[in-house]
Amino acid sequence: MDYKTEAQPKATAGGVPVFCAHDAIVAIEKLIPNPKNPNTHPDAQIQALGRIIRQTGWRAPITVSKRSGFIVKGHGRLAAAKLEGLTEVPVDYQNYTNEAEEYADLVADNRIAELAEIDNKLLADIFADIDTGEIPMELTGYTDKEVESLIIGLTEALHEDTGDQSETPENGDSFTKKGDLWIVGNQIILCTDEEHLCLLATNSQWAISDIEDTISNIESVVSCRLEPQEEMVDEIVKSYIKATGKASGIRLFRKGKELGREHFERMFTE
């Protein structure tokens, strides 16, 4: 999706909207990176940052020292702007008492960010609030696969934290049946245990070869787990839907055949 922000900017730089505070719009060739900058930027980071700047505008300027004339903060943003073929950038000129103070700010810019800790639950809540029909997920800096992996990990942790699950719940009203195979994001969940797998092979409800064929034809799956409790599988599917706000990444196979969404519609409304 080629997204373009419609928010009202403070200015434009080479046709790209500028929303951040800045002192001037400067030609990109006039900026001088600090030759002692210790921070490196992988190609993938620069490419992602370039897309974000191009599609959502400048939300942070490039900081330049009035004392030395070198860039202090924003070397990655400069590289991203060059990659995108931009000709101008917003610049914030700042004073520094001496070289040591300037270097301290240069190093701290990345180091302080590295010390941050992410609350994955709150991050997942934000992802659930983002309508990917309106804005691409990649503009968060995360890929779709990274988001799905995060959601799956949180779902597993949630059920691990609920306490002892060794006893099967009495409620027999679960939608999932023994032998069901769910695809939830990039994870396969097979409602069975090792003993039941043997039963499947002998009673032909769903032969082992059918399961292997089904799994081998599924793309982008990063993990597969066995879950013997039908009710637990139901909860995993519902948690995924609640966390992501979507059901497009969910499929169900029963007795070797894929069921259409209409067969498990109730899972999305309960």
Side-chain angles (χ1 to χ4, degrees):
M1 180 190 298
D2 189 16
Y3 180 82
K4 293 294 182 183
T5 180
E6 296 180 359
Q8 183 64 39
K10 290 183 172 69
T12 59
V16 176
V18 177
F19 300 97
C20 57
H22 61 282
D23 294 318
I25 302 298
V26 179
I28 201 167
E29 64 268 16
K30 292 184 178 181
L31 297 182
I32 307 173
N34 192 309
K36 291 188 177 181
N37 174 37
N39 303 315
T40 59
H41 302 279
D43 291 343
Q45 180 194 26
I46 297 304
Q47 292 167 5
L49 184 55
R51 288 192 295 270
I52 291 172
I53 291 174
R54 171 70 73 178
Q55 297 185 47
T56 66
W58 288 92
R59 298 289 177 174
I62 294 175
T63 298
V64 173
S65 168
K66 287 184 177 181
R67 191 194 67 81
S68 67
F70 291 144
I71 292 175
V72 180
K73 292 180 284 192
H75 288 86
R77 290 189 285 278
L78 176 64
K82 288 181 177 179
L83 181 65
E84 288 292 317
L86 305 184
T87 57
E88 297 177 322
V89 297
V91 172
D92 173 35
Y93 292 101
Q94 294 189 13
N95 291 316
Y96 293 91
T97 303
N98 48 45
E99 184 178 59
E101 188 174 282
E102 183 175 326
Y103 280 148
D105 196 25
L106 170 70
V107 174
D109 182 44
N110 275 42
R111 177 55 179 161
I112 298 302
E114 291 173 356
L115 296 175
E117 296 182 357
I118 295 177
D119 185 322
N120 285 337
K121 176 61 174 65
L122 294 178
L123 183 61
D125 288 343
I126 290 176
F127 288 149
D129 289 338
I130 294 176
D131 184 350
T132 54
E134 293 183 351
I135 187 169
M137 185 61 72
E138 66 179 10
L139 295 184
T140 65
Y142 287 81
T143 65
D144 288 334
K145 286 186 178 181
E146 288 171 335
V147 172
E148 289 186 349
S149 295
L150 172 67
I151 300 301
I152 293 298
L154 285 173
T155 301
E156 292 179 342
L158 173 65
H159 291 294
E160 288 174 358
D161 291 341
T162 56
D164 184 11
Q165 298 291 338
S166 58
E167 295 185 6
T168 303
E170 295 296 330
N171 180 15
D173 194 31
S174 59
F175 175 82
T176 300
K177 306 301 180 186
K178 274 288 196 300
D180 282 0
L181 184 150
W182 288 91
I183 303 173
V184 182
N186 55 2
Q187 180 181 220
I188 285 177
I189 303 171
L190 180 58
C191 184
T192 187
D193 51 29
E194 293 182 4
E195 179 180 357
H196 187 247
L197 277 176
C198 295
L199 292 175
L200 292 180
T202 57
N203 67 14
S204 300
Q205 179 185 6
W206 189 354
I208 297 298
S209 60
D210 292 332
I211 296 175
E212 292 175 343
D213 289 343
T214 300
I215 293 176
S216 65
N217 290 326
I218 298 172
E219 299 178 354
S220 303
V221 171
V222 299
S223 64
C224 181
R225 63 178 283 186
L226 302 182
E227 175 51 63
Q229 297 184 21
E230 296 96 323
E231 293 83 358
M232 183 63 75
V233 177
D234 279 4
E235 289 305 312
I236 292 173
V237 175
K238 291 175 184 177
S239 296
Y240 177 88
I241 296 168
K242 182 177 180 180
T244 63
K246 62 182 181 180
S248 57
I250 297 177
R251 298 165 67 186
L252 171 62
F253 294 82
R254 178 169 290 170
K255 297 183 179 180
K257 297 181 180 179
E258 182 170 7
L259 301 185
R261 173 171 168 159
E262 66 275 9
H263 293 283
F264 51 94
E265 186 72 27
R266 81 173 203 183
M267 296 287 287
F268 307 103
T269 57
E270 291 183 351

